[in-house]
Amino acid sequence: MTTYSGPARLTLVDGTRVSGMASLSTNQRGGVEGWGGTFRPDQTSADIRNPSDGLSLELPYDQIGSVAVTGVRKLLATQILVSLAGSGPAPF
């Protein structure tokens, strides 16, 4: 299992980039490889609370991966945690 924890930017369908912190890992189950994790945006907005398909996650050094949002939950009054499932090769 490979992991990444650190700064990232989630790019929404309209091109808006949302900075935050990501915690990602790869998983291998029964020959199926995949990756996913969570993203905590620095600031929340309606766009990030209701994301659609076609998102990408950019890590430092221009490493980019396609992601889908699998869930959004509230952490504190001003913070949310976005659960992500990656598709294609992991960017870390």
Side-chain angles (χ1 to χ4, degrees):
M1 179 187 326
T2 305
T3 62
Y4 171 81
S5 184
R9 282 192 303 214
L10 185 65
T11 303
L12 305 178
V13 174
D14 66 1
T16 302
R17 290 181 171 183
V18 180
S19 296
M21 297 297 285
S23 180
L24 308 170
S25 65
T26 58
N27 53 46
Q28 297 176 332
R29 287 185 231 134
V32 177
E33 294 184 25
W35 63 280
T38 58
F39 176 75
R40 185 176 43 86
D42 293 338
Q43 297 180 342
T44 60
S45 67
D47 292 336
I48 193 72
R49 288 180 186 272
N50 302 304
S52 59
D53 293 336
L55 308 179
S56 63
L57 189 67
E58 182 179 351
L59 305 181
Y61 309 109
D62 296 324
Q63 299 174 343
I64 300 172
S66 298
V67 294
V69 172
T70 58
V72 177
R73 68 182 172 112
K74 198 173 192 177
L75 290 179
L76 300 171
T78 59
Q79 291 184 344
I80 61 170
L81 188 66
V82 180
S83 297
L84 302 173
S87 62
F92 54 96

